[in-house]
Amino acid sequence: MTNHYIDFRNADVILNMGGNVAENHPVSFKWIQAARDKGAIFIHVDPRFTRTSTKADIFVRLRSGTDIAFLGGMIKYILDNKLYDEFYVKNYTNASFIVSPKYSFDDGLFSGYDSTKRAYDASTWAIEKDENGISKRDMTLEDPRCVFQLLKKHYSRYTLQKVTEITGTPEDDLVKVYKAYGSTGAPDKAGTELYAMGWCQHTVGVQNIRAMCIIQSLLSNMGIAGGGINALRGESNVQGSTDAGLLYHIWPAYLPTPQAHLATLADYNKTTPASKDPRSVNWWKNRPKYVASYLKSVFVEKANKENDFGYAWMPKLDQGQDASWLNLFDEMYKGTFTGFFAWGMNPACSGAHSGKVRQAMTKLDWMVNVNLFDNETGSFWKGPGMDPKKIKTEVFVLPCAASMEKEGSISNSGRWMQWRYKASNPPGESKPDGDIMYELFKKVRALYEKGKGAFPEPILNLKWDYETNGHFDIHKVAKEINGYFLEDIPEHPADKKAYKKGTLVPSFVYLLDDGRTSCGSWLYSASYTEAGNMAARRKKTDPTGLGLYPEWAWAWPVNRRIIYNRASVDLDGNPRDPKRPLLKWDAAGKRWIGDVPDNAVPPMGTAGAYPFIMKPDGVASIFGPGLKDGPFPEHYEPLECPIEKNVMSNQRISPVIKIFEGGPDKFTTCDPRYPFVCSTYRVTEHWQTGVLTRWLPWLIEAEPQMFCEMSLELAKLKGINNGDRVVVESPRGKVEAAAIVTSRLKPFQVAGQTVHQIGIPWHFGWIHPKDGGDSANLLTPTVGDPNTMIPESKAFMANVRKLTTKPAQKG
Amino acid sequence: MEITRRTFLKISGATAAGTVMGGLGFDLSPAEVYAQELRIKGAKETTTVCCYCSVGCGIIVSADAKGKVINTEGDPDHPINEGALCAKGASLYQIAVNDNRLKKVRYRAPYSNTWKEVSWEWALDKITVNIKKSRDASFMEKNAKGQVVNRANGIASVGSAALDNEECWLYAKFLRSLGIIYIEHQARI
């Protein structure tokens, strides 16, 4: 999130599209209601009428997988009706930037496409530079090659009639939403967007969000109170786990994982984002300091300038290698791995195409599964269709402590890092995860110390000393993440002050690239300083009156509560929205008052810098040349879709998605055997695969079993009554469910045909409760967004039919 | 004055008599206040944050003198939830007090059809041997192009957004020290 949960109350218009906030983030809804109490308009756009829709001032339906068409129409509406904020668009976005003459777009393909590689050469999408290397601009926005004109041209195709044809949303409904949301383009109006997996889990997931970023930039809704692009993430610490680099492509705090062609740290540092524009802060220019400090936190005294701070000891990807989830399980299925950790995860139910995932696990020699309860991953070898006598995999299930049985911090979607205390001991012999991994590594190191082993250096040199009185001490890790001065620094370049060896760095501003500082994660630097554990703070001061609560817990980066907040002021540093003054320049005191400024440079009118400091050009990207599937979002159908032809072009599906073929991977489109669009989703009473919640009597009583929602019309067509047992099946698998026949779903009229949509929750699994049904992911396809490889679980094709035989006996 | 949970209880206790007479005709509030006191009397209160979605609601956990959780409830002082919780958050108590929790290390031998309960020491020793065997057998110093990669191709990991920040960071460090590159978790799916 650029903003945070309480900030919803500051909005004039709230759009929840790609999510179901009332059911999946229920308590945050109080801040939507707080906004509505003050007159805000709440809009819900979704294929299904949910409890969120019941509270919406405007609810409209769209067919799953057509969000870009919907939003493309909104971009056109905003441009046609001049609802955009001209000052903001000219000064704070790349609308005025001139794009290379080589850029073009024709019939669904951007320039630079190579059909044999199914990839683009993005060099034709470059922004033109002048002789000083600064991006060329036309502040009148009239140059036919400027971003603004290219935007206009691209979205001129998204007429109401075409958008309706694709989405199934009536034209009147489209206009209702466009008009309401477009009203937030006034500088004193704020519009916010709340999304979740309903946008991510598509082969165009990133571009769904990009389309909204364009809208937010046109309407001056970024960097302001009550605005922003707000991902309502699904897990209490999925923000923190992402920040910590538990993904193949990033080290902690979004440092790219090194690739093989970058042999030395100097090679790696050559890829540091650069800008020649003196008005661009380009914060990423500091990356070498963060990399060196991270390596020092990994290897400490063993890392020095001479050995590249141990850069060579860290594993490298091949250039361009994608080791993400779907590829990981594809490799596992092929037998690439002998060992596997499923630590605090249940991929046997959460992984797309779970049937393939479960089969993949039979190829392993060993698996370590750490969890609170028995689950379908640890027990996969005795699951449906498995014969334990034929499965070689050795399985260790390690029982771990629950959240209130240990100490540590988590980060919510608003980037608030909050400390949790230990209330009780974990039951039986279960232990906190931190203790388990701490002990395990000590044993691994001891084994490598004893005998010969492959490349022992990183194991022997690793800093692993997080104990107090012989016990693992989480505070020592928290401090390591914040960072230390490793030597006395008599006069620090940042502030000319002296700092003592062994003290905690005050913030990432103090990190150095020469080995004199360590820092586990630069974004979390300033979270645990000599002044104490910031995440544990509980003071409820609110100096701005905007609900920022700067002394409650701590937010990354540097306790900034709203990111890019200098975009909320004019060139002189005065708030553009006097009702919601997030930041104001105090000219006499030469300082900003309000939120922690997104970089403490003076206002733009006084030789200051652009507000979007993480972007090399310093401005918001309406034109986004950095993605794999194009600089503007374009509508493509899901991999599995109900219509033969894309209404927008001859490219039915995204031209750059990876197609997994052969073996268990099967797809269908316009196949009469699988005629219905299917989405997976969640209910309030369960969480994710249900790995925790299915074991709680209160919750399993409320939502005891797998179900399939369908419209009255579809039920009639298929002869299904409410409560009937049904089978839902895709080319990959099937699940049994109870039918819920409801007017919450309705058929769509799409490209001249009737399209039915069904929905199933993904909380269930065969292990418990015994008659609760199995995972919805047995049906979902192995296909992902080309940028993120997040699977397309929100739009695939399935069939539903009444179960005429007795339900199969389970377990 | 800032109204905290405790001062709120004092205020509401003092004013309750005047407000809840209602249609009953007699005053139940002293009994209610007393009953509420009993449930968590002498309990140690600690604050936590809900383990489910990403809103980050504050929860108060009360444990008795033996360290057993006896109550969980929304934290009224928390600025995000102001005491409110959803169905899942309100059920946190049943995570702490639940007979289905795994309490011992389990081991399933190759081709076996049963679990065996084993000691931590035995399990961690055996996992350690497995890690070394898989790592050493699959370790690649240079890739096909002859570039230094120093990685263990034969081990993969998924997890976890269910860990605390510090644990996530430590786990990532642990995995990369072994040379593992197939590192993924919930954020991808």
Side-chain angles (χ1 to χ4, degrees):
Chain A
M1 274 194 197
T2 54
N3 294 42
H4 61 101
Y5 283 101
I6 297 170
D7 188 57
F8 299 171
R9 79 171 200 218
N10 294 320
D12 295 300
V13 183
I14 301 168
L15 173 62
N16 181 206
M17 181 168 172
N20 175 9
V21 56
E23 292 184 61
N24 294 333
H25 299 82
V27 173
S28 75
F29 210 87
K30 70 155 54 206
W31 301 112
I32 296 174
Q33 290 293 70
R36 291 184 72 221
D37 288 345
K38 292 189 290 181
I41 300 170
F42 176 56
I43 308 170
H44 188 218
V45 181
D46 202 82
R48 187 173 57 119
F49 186 87
T50 66
R51 277 183 264 186
T52 300
S53 326
T54 65
K55 294 287 180 189
D57 300 290
I58 304 171
F59 167 70
V60 310
R61 294 173 197 278
L62 89 171
R63 168 171 64 103
S64 191
T66 63
D67 301 69
I68 289 174
F70 192 104
L71 297 174
M74 188 172 343
I75 293 171
K76 178 172 160 45
Y77 187 89
I78 289 165
L79 295 172
D80 288 352
N81 294 287
K82 297 202 167 33
L83 298 175
Y84 53 89
D85 182 334
E86 194 174 334
F87 167 86
Y88 191 99
V89 166
K90 282 184 176 171
N91 288 287
Y92 298 157
T93 78
N94 68 4
S96 63
F97 286 42
I98 308 293
V99 176
S100 161
K102 290 183 198 150
Y103 166 79
S104 66
F105 176 80
D106 182 35
D107 194 21
L109 285 176
F110 294 91
S111 48
Y113 186 63
D114 181 339
S115 59
T116 55
K117 291 185 187 156
R118 290 183 61 76
Y120 285 109
D121 167 10
S123 67
T124 63
W125 312 339
I127 302 284
E128 278 198 333
K129 306 282 180 190
D130 68 13
E131 60 283 6
N132 298 315
I134 295 172
S135 298
K136 283 191 193 169
R137 305 178 78 167
D138 169 27
M139 293 305 273
T140 69
L141 306 182
E142 277 166 13
D143 189 303
R145 282 199 284 118
C146 82
V147 166
F148 189 75
Q149 292 301 328
L150 296 175
L151 179 82
K152 258 188 169 171
K153 192 175 162 196
H154 191 88
Y155 292 102
S156 63
R157 302 152 50 239
Y158 286 73
T159 59
L160 290 176
Q161 181 250 324
K162 276 203 169 154
V163 173
T164 292
E165 209 180 331
I166 297 167
T167 59
T169 313
E171 287 190 25
D172 289 353
D173 279 353
L174 292 174
V175 172
K176 241 192 278 177
V177 176
Y178 296 171
K179 200 172 168 188
Y181 203 78
S183 72
T184 63
D188 62 348
K189 292 280 180 195
T192 187
E193 152 61 26
L194 323 178
Y195 73 92
M197 285 297 139
W199 268 1
C200 300
Q201 288 176 339
H202 291 281
T203 44
V204 292
V206 169
Q207 297 286 8
N208 283 334
I209 298 151
R210 271 275 301 141
M212 195 66 210
C213 291
I214 292 173
I215 291 169
Q216 291 296 68
S217 302
L218 290 171
L219 299 175
S220 65
N221 282 331
M222 297 303 291
I224 65 165
I229 289 278
N230 296 306
L232 312 187
R233 307 196 65 181
E235 306 222 5
S236 59
N237 198 35
V238 73
Q239 185 60 56
S241 55
T242 308
D243 301 334
L246 279 174
L247 292 167
Y248 89 92
H249 69 295
I250 44 170
W251 282 1
Y254 306 94
L255 305 173
T257 303
Q259 298 184 33
H261 64 294
L262 306 171
T264 65
L265 187 56
D267 295 332
Y268 181 89
N269 282 338
K270 274 183 210 149
T271 64
T272 304
S275 171
K276 291 190 174 161
D277 189 335
R279 306 196 68 183
S280 172
V281 172
N282 180 30
W283 194 264
W284 275 118
K285 70 178 177 231
N286 295 302
R287 206 179 74 184
K289 300 172 192 171
Y290 307 152
V291 176
S293 298
Y294 174 60
L295 288 167
K296 288 297 285 188
S297 77
V298 176
F299 298 118
V300 71
E301 72 269 10
K302 299 288 169 54
N304 52 51
K305 267 188 187 168
E306 288 64 43
N307 67 13
D308 254 3
F309 302 115
Y311 175 79
W313 297 332
M314 297 294 271
K316 312 272 178 309
L317 298 163
D318 287 337
Q319 188 171 7
Q321 182 178 1
D322 187 322
S324 64
W325 184 280
L326 296 177
N327 286 317
L328 186 160
F329 282 100
D330 199 51
E331 291 295 329
M332 190 185 290
Y333 187 85
K334 291 176 190 158
T336 303
F337 309 121
T338 49
F340 178 55
F341 293 95
W343 199 306
M345 275 210 85
N346 186 17
C349 287
S350 63
H353 198 351
S354 293
K356 176 179 173 182
V357 169
R358 293 174 186 184
Q359 282 302 320
M361 290 170 182
T362 67
K363 316 280 175 81
L364 297 164
D365 287 350
W366 56 271
M367 173 201 290
V368 175
N369 179 220
V370 187
N371 225 312
L372 270 66
F373 295 99
D374 191 8
N375 61 79
E376 290 76 10
T377 298
S379 291
F380 81 94
W381 47 272
K382 54 174 174 170
M386 296 283 177
D387 179 358
K389 289 195 291 294
K390 291 182 181 152
I391 296 168
K392 63 176 175 174
T393 316
E394 197 176 25
V395 183
F396 303 83
V397 173
L398 310 180
C400 63
S403 55
M404 80 298 280
E405 296 159 357
K406 61 185 180 181
E407 211 179 342
S409 72
I410 58 171
S411 300
N412 78 355
S413 284
R415 298 166 286 102
W416 288 22
M417 177 194 189
Q418 304 192 81
W419 197 260
R420 300 196 286 208
Y421 295 91
K422 179 176 170 176
S424 59
N425 286 321
E429 293 177 12
S430 54
K431 289 184 182 188
D433 299 88
D435 290 61
I436 300 170
M437 55 187 80
Y438 193 70
E439 290 308 313
L440 181 58
F441 180 77
K442 285 208 295 192
K443 283 184 181 288
V444 172
R445 173 180 278 173
L447 197 59
Y448 274 89
E449 276 167 349
K450 250 197 309 196
K452 257 176 75 111
F455 198 63
E457 284 84 350
I459 294 171
L460 301 180
N461 293 337
L462 202 73
K463 183 176 193 288
W464 204 257
D465 57 353
Y466 307 110
E467 278 169 56
T468 301
N469 301 325
H471 294 286
F472 174 65
D473 181 354
I474 204 85
H475 289 267
K476 285 199 163 165
V477 182
K479 290 175 184 176
E480 182 86 273
I481 291 170
N482 176 82
Y484 289 101
F485 291 109
L486 300 176
E487 292 176 28
D488 283 342
I489 298 184
E491 196 181 281
H492 195 287
D495 62 359
K496 311 291 173 215
K497 288 185 185 160
Y499 290 93
K500 278 264 171 245
K501 176 180 175 175
T503 58
L504 294 156
V505 297
S507 81
F508 53 68
V509 173
Y510 296 83
L511 298 177
L512 301 166
D513 64 3
D514 58 9
R516 288 187 293 166
T517 55
S518 72
C519 175
S521 177
W522 70 273
L523 276 176
Y524 282 78
S525 193
S527 65
Y528 205 130
T529 67
E530 291 300 322
N533 181 357
M534 298 295 139
R537 296 183 301 173
R538 284 176 65 90
K539 213 169 149 190
K540 281 166 75 174
T541 52
D542 183 19
T544 61
L546 292 168
L548 302 182
Y549 297 108
E551 293 178 282
W552 184 278
W554 183 85
W556 69 253
V558 287
N559 206 31
R560 183 174 297 135
R561 302 288 162 140
I562 295 180
I563 286 180
Y564 298 132
N565 50 28
R566 275 191 307 112
S568 69
V569 299
D570 63 17
L571 299 182
D572 300 320
N574 294 313
R576 297 188 70 227
D577 180 356
K579 295 199 302 289
R580 282 162 283 221
L582 179 58
L583 214 54
K584 184 179 167 40
W585 178 251
D586 167 17
K590 289 197 182 330
R591 65 191 185 111
W592 291 97
I593 298 167
D595 194 8
V596 177
D598 211 337
N599 204 232
V601 291
M604 274 177 64
T606 55
Y610 301 127
F612 288 83
I613 65 168
M614 303 312 285
K615 308 290 295 179
D617 277 320
V619 291
S621 299
I622 285 177
F623 187 78
L627 296 174
K628 289 187 177 162
D629 46 357
F632 286 130
E634 170 68 7
H635 170 71
Y636 301 107
E637 289 292 324
L639 174 65
E640 293 190 331
C641 66
I643 55 174
E644 301 255 9
K645 189 183 173 316
N646 179 355
V647 170
M648 292 308 299
S649 74
N650 281 309
Q651 294 297 322
R652 188 174 58 80
I653 58 170
S654 166
V656 295
I657 52 175
K658 175 175 175 177
I659 308 284
F660 289 82
E661 275 175 310
D665 285 311
K666 298 169 196 142
F667 306 103
T668 62
T669 279
C670 300
D671 181 335
R673 290 175 300 167
Y674 307 103
F676 311 126
V677 178
C678 188
S679 270
T680 63
Y681 49 76
R682 304 195 291 155
V683 300
T684 306
E685 293 79 4
H686 284 296
W687 185 69
Q688 314 301 55
T689 67
V691 68
L692 305 181
T693 52
R694 279 187 272 132
W695 295 97
L696 309 193
W698 293 340
L699 297 176
I700 199 65
E701 185 179 345
E703 288 285 359
Q705 62 184 333
M706 182 67 177
F707 60 81
C708 174
E709 279 187 271
M710 67 192 75
S711 68
L712 305 174
E713 293 83 351
L714 178 59
K716 196 175 166 197
L717 192 73
K718 300 288 289 184
I720 295 168
N721 293 311
N722 197 27
D724 279 353
R725 297 291 303 169
V726 293
V727 174
V728 190
E729 55 198 342
S730 82
R732 296 156 292 275
K734 58 184 172 183
V735 286
E736 290 181 24
I740 296 182
V741 178
T742 170
S743 55
R744 289 191 294 264
L745 281 165
K746 284 193 188 307
F748 293 97
Q749 290 304 313
V750 174
Q753 68 187 76
T754 302
V755 172
H756 293 280
Q757 176 142 12
I758 57 174
I760 48 176
W762 63 282
H763 300 302
F764 297 94
W766 59 269
I767 215 162
H768 186 78
K770 286 296 172 212
D771 53 357
D774 209 340
S775 175
N777 278 312
L778 290 166
L779 274 54
T780 52
T782 309
V783 66
D785 174 279
N787 302 287
T788 62
M789 287 299 275
I790 291 177
E792 189 159 61
S793 309
K794 289 290 178 272
F796 57 94
M797 300 305 287
N799 187 29
V800 60
R801 60 182 166 83
K802 193 166 169 170
L803 193 67
T804 45
T805 54
K806 274 184 164 179
Q809 289 297 308
K810 299 262 171 55
Chain B
M1 183 186 82
E2 195 186 344
I3 297 179
T4 66
R5 177 170 172 262
R6 277 183 203 344
T7 52
F8 172 76
L9 283 177
K10 274 187 206 155
I11 296 164
S12 62
T15 57
T19 55
V20 285
M21 301 284 278
L24 289 174
F26 57 92
D27 180 12
L28 270 177
S29 59
E32 278 174 1
V33 170
Y34 177 66
Q36 202 170 28
E37 260 185 11
L38 267 188
R39 192 156 58 122
I40 52 172
K41 195 171 182 182
K44 189 185 163 209
E45 291 188 345
T46 47
T47 56
T48 191
V49 175
C50 183
C51 63
Y52 295 113
C53 87
S54 65
V55 174
C57 296
I59 296 179
I60 296 173
V61 184
S62 301
D64 67 13
K66 289 180 188 157
K68 183 177 181 252
V69 173
I70 54 171
N71 188 52
T72 62
E73 60 186 300
D75 180 352
D77 293 336
H78 197 285
I80 294 177
N81 61 313
E82 299 179 328
L85 291 175
C86 74
K88 286 193 292 294
S91 305
L92 189 69
Y93 169 80
Q94 291 197 326
I95 291 272
V97 182
N98 192 316
D99 286 341
N100 294 314
R101 284 279 298 275
L102 293 170
K103 297 180 187 74
K104 291 211 158 139
V105 180
R106 285 173 162 190
Y107 174 72
R108 185 257 175 182
Y111 308 107
S112 165
N113 63 0
T114 54
W115 289 115
K116 202 171 104 183
E117 284 183 353
V118 295
S119 73
W120 275 103
E121 194 67 14
W122 186 88
L124 292 185
D125 281 341
K126 204 159 166 56
I127 294 167
T128 300
V129 170
N130 283 350
I131 290 173
K132 186 167 187 297
K133 196 175 159 197
S134 289
R135 181 181 183 273
D136 289 356
S138 68
F139 202 84
M140 177 188 259
E141 279 185 35
K142 289 184 177 174
N143 65 10
K145 287 184 180 169
Q147 298 161 327
V148 176
V149 292
N150 284 332
R151 65 185 188 224
N153 291 320
I155 309 176
S157 166
V158 298
S160 175
L163 301 173
D164 289 348
N165 281 319
E166 297 73 24
E167 293 168 336
C168 288
W169 185 86
L170 201 65
Y171 188 49
K173 181 175 179 175
F174 163 78
L175 295 171
R176 291 197 165 102
S177 79
L178 298 178
I180 297 175
I181 56 163
Y182 280 93
I183 299 171
E184 287 284 286
H185 82 283
Q186 286 93 335
R188 186 77 66 189
I189 56 172

